[in-house]
Amino acid sequence: MKKLYYATFIPGMERAVEGLLRREGGVTIERMLGGAVLYRSVRELTLPYAHHNFLVLTQLHGLADVDAAIKKLLSAGDWLDRIPYEQTRDKRFRIVTMDRDKLVPVNMRYLNMLEKAIIEQTGMKTLRERPDLELWIVRRSEGMTLLLWRLGKRSVKPEKPGALRSDLCTLVAALARVGGKSALNLLAWEETLLRALKDAGARSVTGVCEDPDACRPLSRVQGVRVTAGNVANLPFEEGEMGAVVAHLPEKWNAAQPEAYLRAMLKEARRVLRDDGRVVLVGARAQADNALSRAPGLDVTDAFDILLSGKKCSVWILEKTEEA
């Protein structure tokens, strides 16, 4: 029997997530939402391209706020039967309350009553700091409120300021279609992105750093080759790489960033196989003009996202005839 699940991811990546989820065996997508998906599955999935993954205990509709949702849950206890009791023994839990992607305070009297109902039914205890388990009450802008049981761990936080979250790195690697190919990470400085390329099945992964000091920590990533060099003058043969990815920096060291980006793209095209892809992540204002003028590369798809509050995109480029 298929159970109902709910997963969240970076808003703007809906089409990419939907494509990956449809490849999972025994899965039916019930509804795509902004930055989330409701899906049914015959088994509990591990989704590295999701930020959070949940089992849905119940859905509520037409409620004004999270307090109203808690009162509704207290009056209709059928959701208690859907708790995975095999996971509750000797565990401590907390309830997380969210309204439209923001943590919100709620009436503590109602919350304590809900916690008591869960304690009596499961034998668990509450612990609001570092609990073993979490139940989430999430009210969405579409008019639904979900009671959720969080599964596994959230995606890995960036290891340094400005770096990409692990779920987005997984999506970038999937969009680059690196399986069985040689993958090249230009402007490399993030261990998580290199690992995502390797985990996606790349035959080999090479990172090129502009700063030799950035290469040393990256060399810890198992199965990855890292070298310092100029991304506008790469030491690789023509057509040697099956995929090229890059996370563009917020601030360029180059005096003319747009010209430097075009030079990098020209080299990326040279070392790319004819059936390969270039996938870039960066600020729209920084790259749109350079991408439109990149010789021999066409933007075949783009996903608009927000990173640290800035308008960014994930671009897919493929080879075309040079003018």
Side-chain angles (χ1 to χ4, degrees):
M1 177 182 172
K2 288 186 176 181
K3 294 181 180 179
L4 184 62
Y5 296 88
Y6 174 82
T8 64
F9 49 85
I10 291 178
M13 299 303 296
E14 287 79 12
R15 286 184 292 111
V17 170
E18 182 177 5
L20 290 171
L21 200 52
R22 290 195 185 281
R23 295 177 204 167
E24 303 276 358
V27 169
T28 302
I29 294 177
E30 186 154 301
R31 186 177 179 184
M32 292 301 303
L33 305 160
V37 57
L38 282 166
Y39 67 96
R40 293 190 180 274
S41 175
V42 294
R43 69 190 190 285
E44 183 180 313
L45 301 175
T46 300
L47 303 177
Y49 47 87
H51 186 39
H52 293 287
N53 193 26
F54 302 90
L55 172 67
V56 178
L57 299 181
T58 193
Q59 297 183 68
L60 306 171
H61 298 276
L63 299 175
D65 53 33
V66 178
D67 279 337
I70 295 175
K71 286 191 282 186
K72 185 75 172 178
L73 292 170
L74 289 168
S75 64
D78 59 322
W79 53 271
L80 288 164
D81 297 332
R82 301 187 192 100
I83 288 177
Y85 289 95
E86 68 278 4
Q87 300 178 30
T88 62
R89 185 175 179 180
D90 299 325
K91 294 294 173 59
R92 301 188 177 193
F93 76 98
R94 71 178 170 195
I95 297 174
V96 178
T97 51
M98 298 193 69
D99 194 342
R100 302 165 195 255
D101 299 326
K102 292 183 180 179
L103 290 168
V104 293
V106 294
N107 185 307
M108 288 305 298
R109 177 170 166 267
Y110 296 147
L111 187 66
N112 289 335
M113 290 170 65
L114 186 61
E115 288 175 339
K116 184 178 178 182
I118 295 169
I119 291 167
E120 290 176 350
Q121 188 77 8
T122 66
M124 292 193 296
K125 297 179 180 179
T126 55
L127 181 65
R128 294 194 176 121
E129 294 292 331
R130 300 181 182 274
D132 303 307
L133 300 167
E134 290 180 348
L135 285 87
W136 287 37
I137 302 172
V138 177
R139 182 174 175 268
R140 291 191 53 94
S141 58
E142 295 88 352
M144 73 170 70
T145 302
L146 302 167
L147 176 62
L148 307 166
W149 180 277
R150 191 161 74 85
L151 304 170
K153 297 180 180 179
R154 69 188 71 190
S155 64
V156 177
K157 292 181 179 179
E159 70 265 17
K160 57 187 77 172
L164 302 178
R165 221 168 58 193
S166 64
D167 52 327
L168 182 55
C169 289
T170 300
L171 286 168
V172 168
L175 291 171
R177 298 177 180 172
V178 299
K181 300 177 183 178
S182 299
L184 176 62
N185 178 195
L186 297 179
L187 306 171
W189 63 286
E190 298 161 276
E191 296 178 37
T192 306
L193 183 53
L194 290 168
R195 286 195 184 94
L197 295 169
K198 191 68 180 174
D199 292 344
R203 186 177 73 248
S204 66
V205 178
T206 303
V208 176
C209 315
E210 290 190 301
D211 180 3
D213 291 337
C215 289
R216 281 190 282 273
L218 296 181
S219 62
R220 298 177 301 200
V221 182
Q222 190 172 4
V224 170
R225 180 164 63 104
V226 181
T227 182
N230 184 348
V231 296
N233 185 22
L234 297 170
F236 307 115
E237 298 295 327
E238 184 173 338
E240 185 176 340
M241 298 295 171
V244 178
V245 304
H247 177 199
L248 307 180
E250 288 188 27
K251 295 181 180 180
W252 293 83
N253 294 326
Q256 295 180 301
E258 185 177 319
Y260 189 70
L261 177 54
R262 288 205 307 273
M264 185 187 82
L265 290 171
K266 183 177 181 180
E267 271 294 86
R269 184 193 187 280
R270 182 184 67 80
V271 302
L272 189 66
R273 283 176 16 181
D274 288 341
D275 63 345
R277 279 183 160 189
V278 177
V279 180
L280 302 180
V281 184
R284 285 176 234 165
Q286 163 192 67
D288 269 337
N289 193 44
L291 292 178
S292 67
R293 300 169 62 188
L297 288 170
D298 272 353
V299 177
T300 57
D301 206 350
F303 302 83
D304 293 336
I305 60 176
L306 286 176
L307 293 177
S308 301
K310 296 181 177 66
K311 293 181 179 179
C312 296
S313 289
V314 179
W315 294 277
I316 298 175
L317 297 94
E318 296 180 357
K319 292 178 77 169
T320 185
E321 294 297 323
E322 286 192 87

